[in-house]
Amino acid sequence: MSNSAETTPKRPLRVAIVGAGPAGVYAADILTKSNEVKDGDFEVSIDLFEAYPAPYGLIRYGVAPDHPRIKGIVNALHKVLDRGDIRFLGNVTYGRDLKLHDFRAFYDAVIFSTGAIKDADLNIPGVELEGSYGGADFVSWYDGHPDVSRDWPLDAKEIAVIGNGNVALDVARMLVKHADELLSTEIPDNVYRTLKNSPVTDVHVFGRRGPAQVKFTPLELRELSHAKDVDIVLYPEDFEFDEASEEAIRTNNQTKTMVNTMTNWLVEEHAEAEVPSSRRLHLHFLHSPVEIYDAAGNAAGNGKVAGIKFERMQLDGTGNVKGTGEYIDYPVQAVYRAIGYHGSPLDELEYDAKAGVIPNEGGRVLDAAGNPVPGIYATGWIKRGPVGLIGHTKGDALETIGCLLEDRLTLPPAQNPDPHAIIALLEERGVEYTTWEGWNRLDAHEAALGKAWTEAQADTGVVRERVKVVPREEMIRISRSAED
């Protein structure tokens, strides 16, 4: 017990959480509300670190701005951080501003919740051609990520989106939706202007399996039909179901809802045929990408995307698919790969490059020999991989915090647990960290931008609640400025 963090008389357990997205906030909230803390077994002092000047991670920089659930999730996260018992420190990058030994010096435990922000690889010829993009990169651009270019080349009339998850639908919806419909969101002005000038007419979404195996949710699917002046196009040959698909439709309400929604669209589509819309969103199934090629038919070199080849697939009776040997070409001038995210390695921690996660057991981070590293934990996508919805991270956090609570009597104690010590170190190193009070200033500033736009454009009838600030330097300046 002599090396226990709890033996220091009457001091709170010091915990750092690296990553202030939903996973990090949920972990902090669960720890503060744990029975052990509520019953007075021990006190806890939590610092929540974020590489960006603003909190919320994936919610701010990884979800389409017109997503209907964003506001509710942001409000829930805001309530947690606004209580005042969790300290937010933004614009602090792990591995650069603070290293692992720094965290060990000031905290008894460290939880990594850094998520996954890179695109999973699509290993087919032609992915390096000009006009072939990662869906995650596009999401970062339209969400105003401070570290990506503010320009995006939207010059294609026909676009392919590869993937059948929620990110693929977000990407497709943002590409095909008319920009004026997005003005009521927090979309940055540069994004609005670029989308406004897009010449797109057709966006094709391709999935490798059938309609009963899609990975998106009914909510995301229904959002597609809300876009104005956009026709949804489906293909009857994609709606032949094998035994496993029919069983999934019978026994899974979510699958049944989505398949029914799409089959209803298929019927309605052939019943309408009045005035066609100016844009079309095509949903294709049973298509496996083979190659992206340029105008000369080459997949190699420095050419520009001119088309994409797929092999037609068929269901094999189990819900899986097999190739038919039939190939189909689609003329497109851009391809967006949205087949999933992939986690990034973190300095001084082991990394599973194939899965894109930090190796762990129940949230306890493992070393190269497979043994738990005392006091180091993981939660969220960097723990289990980028699968599941945002709500699933609560279960992740519950498991990880459970492990931390089990270990609390044997955690390696912080050398300097004074909460002011980490602030002194950041200031000594010249790190322009931001705070929760700073976020409230930036939040109010973005709301004021929305109000000013609404008043200046009163004749449009569009109300903008906020306009997102993009440049990191401006975010920092506003966050760190003195209150009026």
mmCIF file with all atom_site columns, all heavy atoms in Angstrom, residues 156-176:
data_model
loop_
_atom_site.group_PDB
_atom_site.id
_atom_site.type_symbol
_atom_site.label_atom_id
_atom_site.label_alt_id
_atom_site.label_comp_id
_atom_site.label_asym_id
_atom_site.label_entity_id
_atom_site.label_seq_id
_atom_site.pdbx_PDB_ins_code
_atom_site.Cartn_x
_atom_site.Cartn_y
_atom_site.Cartn_z
_atom_site.occupancy
_atom_site.B_iso_or_equiv
_atom_site.pdbx_formal_charge
_atom_site.auth_seq_id
_atom_site.auth_comp_id
_atom_site.auth_asym_id
_atom_site.auth_atom_id
_atom_site.pdbx_PDB_model_num
ATOM 1   N N   . ALA A 1 156 ? -17.148 17.996 -59.947 1.00 0.00 ? 156 ALA A N   1
ATOM 2   C CA  . ALA A 1 156 ? -17.676 16.807 -60.622 1.00 0.00 ? 156 ALA A CA  1
ATOM 3   C C   . ALA A 1 156 ? -19.197 16.875 -60.753 1.00 0.00 ? 156 ALA A C   1
ATOM 4   O O   . ALA A 1 156 ? -19.890 17.307 -59.834 1.00 0.00 ? 156 ALA A O   1
ATOM 5   C CB  . ALA A 1 156 ? -17.273 15.557 -59.855 1.00 0.00 ? 156 ALA A CB  1
ATOM 6   N N   . LYS A 1 157 ? -19.701 16.431 -61.900 1.00 0.00 ? 157 LYS A N   1
ATOM 7   C CA  . LYS A 1 157 ? -21.147 16.314 -62.091 1.00 0.00 ? 157 LYS A CA  1
ATOM 8   C C   . LYS A 1 157 ? -21.658 14.965 -61.589 1.00 0.00 ? 157 LYS A C   1
ATOM 9   O O   . LYS A 1 157 ? -22.759 14.869 -61.055 1.00 0.00 ? 157 LYS A O   1
ATOM 10  C CB  . LYS A 1 157 ? -21.510 16.493 -63.563 1.00 0.00 ? 157 LYS A CB  1
ATOM 11  C CG  . LYS A 1 157 ? -21.351 17.919 -64.081 1.00 0.00 ? 157 LYS A CG  1
ATOM 12  C CD  . LYS A 1 157 ? -21.885 18.050 -65.496 1.00 0.00 ? 157 LYS A CD  1
ATOM 13  C CE  . LYS A 1 157 ? -21.824 19.497 -65.984 1.00 0.00 ? 157 LYS A CE  1
ATOM 14  N NZ  . LYS A 1 157 ? -22.373 19.642 -67.355 1.00 0.00 ? 157 LYS A NZ  1
ATOM 15  N N   . GLU A 1 158 ? -20.853 13.933 -61.792 1.00 0.00 ? 158 GLU A N   1
ATOM 16  C CA  . GLU A 1 158 ? -21.244 12.584 -61.379 1.00 0.00 ? 158 GLU A CA  1
ATOM 17  C C   . GLU A 1 158 ? -20.224 12.074 -60.356 1.00 0.00 ? 158 GLU A C   1
ATOM 18  O O   . GLU A 1 158 ? -19.021 12.133 -60.590 1.00 0.00 ? 158 GLU A O   1
ATOM 19  C CB  . GLU A 1 158 ? -21.282 11.650 -62.586 1.00 0.00 ? 158 GLU A CB  1
ATOM 20  C CG  . GLU A 1 158 ? -22.299 12.099 -63.637 1.00 0.00 ? 158 GLU A CG  1
ATOM 21  C CD  . GLU A 1 158 ? -21.990 11.512 -65.010 1.00 0.00 ? 158 GLU A CD  1
ATOM 22  O OE1 . GLU A 1 158 ? -20.863 11.727 -65.503 1.00 0.00 ? 158 GLU A OE1 1
ATOM 23  O OE2 . GLU A 1 158 ? -22.878 10.837 -65.562 1.00 0.00 ? 158 GLU A OE2 1
ATOM 24  N N   . ILE A 1 159 ? -20.734 11.585 -59.227 1.00 0.00 ? 159 ILE A N   1
ATOM 25  C CA  . ILE A 1 159 ? -19.863 11.230 -58.112 1.00 0.00 ? 159 ILE A CA  1
ATOM 26  C C   . ILE A 1 159 ? -20.246 9.847  -57.588 1.00 0.00 ? 159 ILE A C   1
ATOM 27  O O   . ILE A 1 159 ? -21.434 9.518  -57.474 1.00 0.00 ? 159 ILE A O   1
ATOM 28  C CB  . ILE A 1 159 ? -19.999 12.260 -56.972 1.00 0.00 ? 159 ILE A CB  1
ATOM 29  C CG1 . ILE A 1 159 ? -19.597 13.664 -57.462 1.00 0.00 ? 159 ILE A CG1 1
ATOM 30  C CG2 . ILE A 1 159 ? -19.154 11.859 -55.763 1.00 0.00 ? 159 ILE A CG2 1
ATOM 31  C CD1 . ILE A 1 159 ? -19.878 14.766 -56.447 1.00 0.00 ? 159 ILE A CD1 1
ATOM 32  N N   . ALA A 1 160 ? -19.218 9.047  -57.238 1.00 0.00 ? 160 ALA A N   1
ATOM 33  C CA  . ALA A 1 160 ? -19.439 7.757  -56.591 1.00 0.00 ? 160 ALA A CA  1
ATOM 34  C C   . ALA A 1 160 ? -19.048 7.860  -55.123 1.00 0.00 ? 160 ALA A C   1
ATOM 35  O O   . ALA A 1 160 ? -18.002 8.420  -54.788 1.00 0.00 ? 160 ALA A O   1
ATOM 36  C CB  . ALA A 1 160 ? -18.618 6.668  -57.270 1.00 0.00 ? 160 ALA A CB  1
ATOM 37  N N   . VAL A 1 161 ? -19.898 7.333  -54.243 1.00 0.00 ? 161 VAL A N   1
ATOM 38  C CA  . VAL A 1 161 ? -19.592 7.212  -52.818 1.00 0.00 ? 161 VAL A CA  1
ATOM 39  C C   . VAL A 1 161 ? -19.597 5.727  -52.488 1.00 0.00 ? 161 VAL A C   1
ATOM 40  O O   . VAL A 1 161 ? -20.608 5.046  -52.686 1.00 0.00 ? 161 VAL A O   1
ATOM 41  C CB  . VAL A 1 161 ? -20.616 7.956  -51.945 1.00 0.00 ? 161 VAL A CB  1
ATOM 42  C CG1 . VAL A 1 161 ? -20.292 7.764  -50.468 1.00 0.00 ? 161 VAL A CG1 1
ATOM 43  C CG2 . VAL A 1 161 ? -20.648 9.434  -52.296 1.00 0.00 ? 161 VAL A CG2 1
ATOM 44  N N   . ILE A 1 162 ? -18.478 5.215  -52.011 1.00 0.00 ? 162 ILE A N   1
ATOM 45  C CA  . ILE A 1 162 ? -18.351 3.789  -51.725 1.00 0.00 ? 162 ILE A CA  1
ATOM 46  C C   . ILE A 1 162 ? -18.519 3.569  -50.229 1.00 0.00 ? 162 ILE A C   1
ATOM 47  O O   . ILE A 1 162 ? -17.762 4.092  -49.410 1.00 0.00 ? 162 ILE A O   1
ATOM 48  C CB  . ILE A 1 162 ? -16.983 3.259  -52.186 1.00 0.00 ? 162 ILE A CB  1
ATOM 49  C CG1 . ILE A 1 162 ? -16.807 3.510  -53.683 1.00 0.00 ? 162 ILE A CG1 1
ATOM 50  C CG2 . ILE A 1 162 ? -16.861 1.771  -51.894 1.00 0.00 ? 162 ILE A CG2 1
ATOM 51  C CD1 . ILE A 1 162 ? -15.429 3.170  -54.188 1.00 0.00 ? 162 ILE A CD1 1
ATOM 52  N N   . GLY A 1 163 ? -19.534 2.784  -49.871 1.00 0.00 ? 163 GLY A N   1
ATOM 53  C CA  . GLY A 1 163 ? -19.787 2.502  -48.461 1.00 0.00 ? 163 GLY A CA  1
ATOM 54  C C   . GLY A 1 163 ? -21.276 2.438  -48.186 1.00 0.00 ? 163 GLY A C   1
ATOM 55  O O   . GLY A 1 163 ? -22.074 3.071  -48.886 1.00 0.00 ? 163 GLY A O   1
ATOM 56  N N   . ASN A 1 164 ? -21.647 1.682  -47.188 1.00 0.00 ? 164 ASN A N   1
ATOM 57  C CA  . ASN A 1 164 ? -23.064 1.556  -46.830 1.00 0.00 ? 164 ASN A CA  1
ATOM 58  C C   . ASN A 1 164 ? -23.303 1.778  -45.345 1.00 0.00 ? 164 ASN A C   1
ATOM 59  O O   . ASN A 1 164 ? -24.159 1.149  -44.728 1.00 0.00 ? 164 ASN A O   1
ATOM 60  C CB  . ASN A 1 164 ? -23.605 0.183  -47.251 1.00 0.00 ? 164 ASN A CB  1
ATOM 61  C CG  . ASN A 1 164 ? -24.500 0.242  -48.473 1.00 0.00 ? 164 ASN A CG  1
ATOM 62  O OD1 . ASN A 1 164 ? -24.990 -0.774 -48.935 1.00 0.00 ? 164 ASN A OD1 1
ATOM 63  N ND2 . ASN A 1 164 ? -24.733 1.430  -48.997 1.00 0.00 ? 164 ASN A ND2 1
ATOM 64  N N   . GLY A 1 165 ? -22.515 2.709  -44.767 1.00 0.00 ? 165 GLY A N   1
ATOM 65  C CA  . GLY A 1 165 ? -22.719 3.083  -43.379 1.00 0.00 ? 165 GLY A CA  1
ATOM 66  C C   . GLY A 1 165 ? -23.226 4.507  -43.280 1.00 0.00 ? 165 GLY A C   1
ATOM 67  O O   . GLY A 1 165 ? -23.466 5.184  -44.287 1.00 0.00 ? 165 GLY A O   1
ATOM 68  N N   . ASN A 1 166 ? -23.377 4.991  -42.063 1.00 0.00 ? 166 ASN A N   1
ATOM 69  C CA  . ASN A 1 166 ? -23.902 6.341  -41.850 1.00 0.00 ? 166 ASN A CA  1
ATOM 70  C C   . ASN A 1 166 ? -23.000 7.426  -42.422 1.00 0.00 ? 166 ASN A C   1
ATOM 71  O O   . ASN A 1 166 ? -23.479 8.457  -42.894 1.00 0.00 ? 166 ASN A O   1
ATOM 72  C CB  . ASN A 1 166 ? -24.117 6.587  -40.358 1.00 0.00 ? 166 ASN A CB  1
ATOM 73  C CG  . ASN A 1 166 ? -25.346 5.869  -39.819 1.00 0.00 ? 166 ASN A CG  1
ATOM 74  O OD1 . ASN A 1 166 ? -26.231 5.485  -40.589 1.00 0.00 ? 166 ASN A OD1 1
ATOM 75  N ND2 . ASN A 1 166 ? -25.406 5.681  -38.518 1.00 0.00 ? 166 ASN A ND2 1
ATOM 76  N N   . VAL A 1 167 ? -21.673 7.205  -42.380 1.00 0.00 ? 167 VAL A N   1
ATOM 77  C CA  . VAL A 1 167 ? -20.770 8.212  -42.933 1.00 0.00 ? 167 VAL A CA  1
ATOM 78  C C   . VAL A 1 167 ? -20.969 8.329  -44.438 1.00 0.00 ? 167 VAL A C   1
ATOM 79  O O   . VAL A 1 167 ? -20.984 9.433  -44.990 1.00 0.00 ? 167 VAL A O   1
ATOM 80  C CB  . VAL A 1 167 ? -19.301 7.875  -42.606 1.00 0.00 ? 167 VAL A CB  1
ATOM 81  C CG1 . VAL A 1 167 ? -18.354 8.861  -43.287 1.00 0.00 ? 167 VAL A CG1 1
ATOM 82  C CG2 . VAL A 1 167 ? -19.070 7.901  -41.100 1.00 0.00 ? 167 VAL A CG2 1
ATOM 83  N N   . ALA A 1 168 ? -21.142 7.200  -45.116 1.00 0.00 ? 168 ALA A N   1
ATOM 84  C CA  . ALA A 1 168 ? -21.384 7.242  -46.558 1.00 0.00 ? 168 ALA A CA  1
ATOM 85  C C   . ALA A 1 168 ? -22.655 8.026  -46.874 1.00 0.00 ? 168 ALA A C   1
ATOM 86  O O   . ALA A 1 168 ? -22.686 8.820  -47.828 1.00 0.00 ? 168 ALA A O   1
ATOM 87  C CB  . ALA A 1 168 ? -21.486 5.822  -47.116 1.00 0.00 ? 168 ALA A CB  1
ATOM 88  N N   . LEU A 1 169 ? -23.699 7.825  -46.079 1.00 0.00 ? 169 LEU A N   1
ATOM 89  C CA  . LEU A 1 169 ? -24.940 8.566  -46.321 1.00 0.00 ? 169 LEU A CA  1
ATOM 90  C C   . LEU A 1 169 ? -24.768 10.040 -46.012 1.00 0.00 ? 169 LEU A C   1
ATOM 91  O O   . LEU A 1 169 ? -25.320 10.900 -46.719 1.00 0.00 ? 169 LEU A O   1
ATOM 92  C CB  . LEU A 1 169 ? -26.083 7.984  -45.479 1.00 0.00 ? 169 LEU A CB  1
ATOM 93  C CG  . LEU A 1 169 ? -26.617 6.616  -45.893 1.00 0.00 ? 169 LEU A CG  1
ATOM 94  C CD1 . LEU A 1 169 ? -27.972 6.363  -45.237 1.00 0.00 ? 169 LEU A CD1 1
ATOM 95  C CD2 . LEU A 1 169 ? -26.745 6.470  -47.394 1.00 0.00 ? 169 LEU A CD2 1
ATOM 96  N N   . ASP A 1 170 ? -24.019 10.367 -44.959 1.00 0.00 ? 170 ASP A N   1
ATOM 97  C CA  . ASP A 1 170 ? -23.736 11.778 -44.659 1.00 0.00 ? 170 ASP A CA  1
ATOM 98  C C   . ASP A 1 170 ? -23.010 12.436 -45.826 1.00 0.00 ? 170 ASP A C   1
ATOM 99  O O   . ASP A 1 170 ? -23.364 13.538 -46.259 1.00 0.00 ? 170 ASP A O   1
ATOM 100 C CB  . ASP A 1 170 ? -22.867 11.889 -43.400 1.00 0.00 ? 170 ASP A CB  1
ATOM 101 C CG  . ASP A 1 170 ? -23.679 11.879 -42.110 1.00 0.00 ? 170 ASP A CG  1
ATOM 102 O OD1 . ASP A 1 170 ? -24.923 11.842 -42.191 1.00 0.00 ? 170 ASP A OD1 1
ATOM 103 O OD2 . ASP A 1 170 ? -23.070 11.912 -41.024 1.00 0.00 ? 170 ASP A OD2 1
ATOM 104 N N   . VAL A 1 171 ? -21.970 11.768 -46.312 1.00 0.00 ? 171 VAL A N   1
ATOM 105 C CA  . VAL A 1 171 ? -21.183 12.310 -47.421 1.00 0.00 ? 171 VAL A CA  1
ATOM 106 C C   . VAL A 1 171 ? -22.063 12.503 -48.655 1.00 0.00 ? 171 VAL A C   1
ATOM 107 O O   . VAL A 1 171 ? -22.035 13.558 -49.296 1.00 0.00 ? 171 VAL A O   1
ATOM 108 C CB  . VAL A 1 171 ? -19.992 11.378 -47.732 1.00 0.00 ? 171 VAL A CB  1
ATOM 109 C CG1 . VAL A 1 171 ? -19.348 11.735 -49.070 1.00 0.00 ? 171 VAL A CG1 1
ATOM 110 C CG2 . VAL A 1 171 ? -18.954 11.450 -46.620 1.00 0.00 ? 171 VAL A CG2 1
ATOM 111 N N   . ALA A 1 172 ? -22.844 11.489 -48.979 1.00 0.00 ? 172 ALA A N   1
ATOM 112 C CA  . ALA A 1 172 ? -23.703 11.576 -50.162 1.00 0.00 ? 172 ALA A CA  1
ATOM 113 C C   . ALA A 1 172 ? -24.735 12.691 -50.020 1.00 0.00 ? 172 ALA A C   1
ATOM 114 O O   . ALA A 1 172 ? -24.994 13.439 -50.970 1.00 0.00 ? 172 ALA A O   1
ATOM 115 C CB  . ALA A 1 172 ? -24.409 10.236 -50.383 1.00 0.00 ? 172 ALA A CB  1
ATOM 116 N N   . ARG A 1 173 ? -25.325 12.793 -48.837 1.00 0.00 ? 173 ARG A N   1
ATOM 117 C CA  . ARG A 1 173 ? -26.350 13.823 -48.622 1.00 0.00 ? 173 ARG A CA  1
ATOM 118 C C   . ARG A 1 173 ? -25.761 15.220 -48.737 1.00 0.00 ? 173 ARG A C   1
ATOM 119 O O   . ARG A 1 173 ? -26.362 16.114 -49.341 1.00 0.00 ? 173 ARG A O   1
ATOM 120 C CB  . ARG A 1 173 ? -26.989 13.623 -47.249 1.00 0.00 ? 173 ARG A CB  1
ATOM 121 C CG  . ARG A 1 173 ? -28.283 14.405 -47.055 1.00 0.00 ? 173 ARG A CG  1
ATOM 122 C CD  . ARG A 1 173 ? -28.956 14.085 -45.747 1.00 0.00 ? 173 ARG A CD  1
ATOM 123 N NE  . ARG A 1 173 ? -28.202 14.566 -44.604 1.00 0.00 ? 173 ARG A NE  1
ATOM 124 C CZ  . ARG A 1 173 ? -27.518 13.774 -43.784 1.00 0.00 ? 173 ARG A CZ  1
ATOM 125 N NH1 . ARG A 1 173 ? -27.488 12.469 -43.966 1.00 0.00 ? 173 ARG A NH1 1
ATOM 126 N NH2 . ARG A 1 173 ? -26.845 14.280 -42.756 1.00 0.00 ? 173 ARG A NH2 1
ATOM 127 N N   . MET A 1 174 ? -24.567 15.413 -48.177 1.00 0.00 ? 174 MET A N   1
ATOM 128 C CA  . MET A 1 174 ? -23.931 16.726 -48.260 1.00 0.00 ? 174 MET A CA  1
ATOM 129 C C   . MET A 1 174 ? -23.541 17.064 -49.700 1.00 0.00 ? 174 MET A C   1
ATOM 130 O O   . MET A 1 174 ? -23.556 18.235 -50.097 1.00 0.00 ? 174 MET A O   1
ATOM 131 C CB  . MET A 1 174 ? -22.707 16.766 -47.353 1.00 0.00 ? 174 MET A CB  1
ATOM 132 C CG  . MET A 1 174 ? -23.036 16.789 -45.868 1.00 0.00 ? 174 MET A CG  1
ATOM 133 S SD  . MET A 1 174 ? -23.890 18.303 -45.348 1.00 0.00 ? 174 MET A SD  1
ATOM 134 C CE  . MET A 1 174 ? -22.564 19.498 -45.537 1.00 0.00 ? 174 MET A CE  1
ATOM 135 N N   . LEU A 1 175 ? -23.191 16.058 -50.488 1.00 0.00 ? 175 LEU A N   1
ATOM 136 C CA  . LEU A 1 175 ? -22.811 16.305 -51.881 1.00 0.00 ? 175 LEU A CA  1
ATOM 137 C C   . LEU A 1 175 ? -24.015 16.647 -52.758 1.00 0.00 ? 175 LEU A C   1
ATOM 138 O O   . LEU A 1 175 ? -23.909 17.471 -53.664 1.00 0.00 ? 175 LEU A O   1
ATOM 139 C CB  . LEU A 1 175 ? -22.104 15.069 -52.456 1.00 0.00 ? 175 LEU A CB  1
ATOM 140 C CG  . LEU A 1 175 ? -20.677 14.825 -51.992 1.00 0.00 ? 175 LEU A CG  1
ATOM 141 C CD1 . LEU A 1 175 ? -20.230 13.412 -52.367 1.00 0.00 ? 175 LEU A CD1 1
ATOM 142 C CD2 . LEU A 1 175 ? -19.729 15.862 -52.602 1.00 0.00 ? 175 LEU A CD2 1
ATOM 143 N N   . VAL A 1 176 ? -25.147 16.026 -52.470 1.00 0.00 ? 176 VAL A N   1
ATOM 144 C CA  . VAL A 1 176 ? -26.295 16.178 -53.370 1.00 0.00 ? 176 VAL A CA  1
ATOM 145 C C   . VAL A 1 176 ? -27.279 17.252 -52.916 1.00 0.00 ? 176 VAL A C   1
ATOM 146 O O   . VAL A 1 176 ? -28.060 17.786 -53.707 1.00 0.00 ? 176 VAL A O   1
ATOM 147 C CB  . VAL A 1 176 ? -27.019 14.816 -53.523 1.00 0.00 ? 176 VAL A CB  1
ATOM 148 C CG1 . VAL A 1 176 ? -27.908 14.519 -52.317 1.00 0.00 ? 176 VAL A CG1 1
ATOM 149 C CG2 . VAL A 1 176 ? -27.804 14.744 -54.822 1.00 0.00 ? 176 VAL A CG2 1
#
